[in-house]
Amino acid sequence: MQQHNTSPEDTDDDPGRKKRPYVSIAGRRLPIPHSRPARLLSGGVLVLLGIFGFLPVLGFWMIPVGLLILSYDLAAIRRWRRRLEVWWHRRKGRRD
């Protein structure tokens, strides 16, 4: 799970254009909203609705996705994500 500020689609030669923020998970880049309030709202809503994952349509998958979006702006969640990533790579390295 890596976090980046730009995506390859935004590599246009227009220097005045803002780059599209995204997060990367499992080698895939997921675009996230440009504005900080929209990112906080969408991440918070995903986590909140993920708590009700036992209901139809909603799912527990929403919690990690919401936390991933929130990690872009919130340092505490970003630290948890990085620790989890380091632990995962160390664990994966022991099996090889």
Side-chain angles (χ1 to χ4, degrees), residues 29-43:
R29 293 182 174 151
L30 305 170
I32 57 177
H34 286 285
S35 70
R36 184 171 195 251
R39 287 190 302 267
L40 292 174
L41 181 66
S42 62

Side-chain angles (χ1 to χ4, degrees), residues 55-86:
L55 296 172
V57 179
L58 304 176
F60 292 112
W61 61 269
M62 298 169 94
I63 296 173
V65 172
L67 290 174
L68 185 64
I69 292 171
L70 289 173
S71 74
Y72 191 84
D73 290 312
L74 302 176
I77 298 173
R78 186 169 41 248
R79 275 186 238 118
W80 290 344
R81 181 185 53 83
R82 287 180 182 165
R83 285 182 193 152
L84 178 65
E85 188 176 352
V86 168

Side-chain angles (χ1 to χ4, degrees), residues 19-35:
K19 306 285 183 180
R20 175 88 185 206
Y22 67 89
V23 292
S24 179
I25 183 169
R28 293 182 179 229
R29 293 182 174 151
L30 305 170
I32 57 177
H34 286 285
S35 70

Side-chain angles (χ1 to χ4, degrees), residues 8-17 19:
E9 296 90 31
D10 293 334
T11 56
D12 296 337
D13 295 330
D14 186 9
R17 186 173 170 212
K19 306 285 183 180

